[in-house]
Structure formats: C-alpha cells, structure tokens
Amino acid sequence: MNQLVILMGAPAQGQNPIMSFLPLIAIVVVFYFFMIRPQMKKAKEQKKYIEALKKGDKILTIGGIYGKIAELKEDGTIIMEVEDGSKMKISKNAVSQDATSTLNQQQ
C-alpha cells in the first residue's frame, strides 16, 4: 500500500498541499499572460478597426486583395474597388488591415 502512495506522488508528510500545485498554477499564469491576453487584445483592436471603417479607406483583405472602400452597407458588407476599377462585395470581417501606406508606396 505504501508503494502505491509513493507512486501516486502524494505530498510528503508535513508539506503544504498547495505547494505541490504551485508549479501548475505558475504555468497557467504564464500561459495566460503570454498567449491568451495578447490574443484578446489583438482581437479587440481588430474589432475596433473594423467598426471604424469608412468610405475611401484603403484596405487589405485576408485573401491578400488590396482595394479602396467604395460603399459600406448596413448588412455588414463592403463594396470594395480594386485597382482596375472593378468592384467586389466582401464581408466586413474579411478586412485584415489598413493598407494606406502600402498603396501609397506603389503609386
């Protein structure tokens, strides 16, 4: 029976049981601050950027298409004008980032 208790990793007599969970708690805290929190912050910034889009903004889609917003619709879609004057209908959620600096360098 004693061998079973030793193999299960029971805390030694007199040792605080919280101390045996301390490494696990430390791993969870580090994981939160280095993985979860930055992702939540990035998602919040992306949502704020998408909500602030307006006509004339130059954007880059998640598919890699550069364009300029020609029209914003109430149903969450955007009419985007690409370089040759063609227009595309895309979802607001397909916008990846602002492309003003990139498009200005190409002209």
Side-chain angles (χ1 to χ4, degrees):
M1 181 68 171
N2 287 341
Q3 291 175 347
L4 182 62
V5 172
I6 293 171
L7 291 175
M8 289 175 45
Q13 291 180 350
Q15 185 181 1
N16 189 351
I18 294 176
M19 294 303 276
S20 63
F21 287 111
L22 192 60
L24 181 63
I25 293 169
I27 288 171
V28 169
V29 169
V30 168
F31 185 76
Y32 174 77
F33 280 106
F34 285 107
M35 301 291 281
I36 298 171
R37 190 166 175 242
Q39 286 288 54
M40 289 172 43
K41 185 177 177 184
K42 185 177 179 181
K44 187 186 288 185
E45 289 173 359
Q46 179 72 9
K47 184 177 179 183
K48 188 186 298 184
Y49 169 70
I50 288 174
E51 289 173 356
L53 288 173
K54 60 188 180 302
K55 184 177 178 178
D57 286 350
K58 296 177 182 176
I59 57 172
L60 172 66
T61 67
I62 57 175
I65 301 171
Y66 289 92
K68 186 168 74 171
I69 297 177
E71 183 180 345
L72 289 165
K73 300 212 177 223
E74 293 297 320
D75 63 350
T77 59
I78 295 173
I79 304 297
M80 180 177 79
E81 184 177 340
V82 292
E83 187 173 326
D84 65 352
S86 301
K87 292 187 178 181
M88 303 172 72
K89 183 177 182 180
I90 63 168
S91 172
K92 266 188 168 182
N93 295 327
V95 176
S96 173
Q97 63 187 26
D98 182 35
T100 305
S101 61
T102 308
L103 288 175
N104 286 339
Q105 289 175 357
Q106 292 175 354
Q107 294 176 351

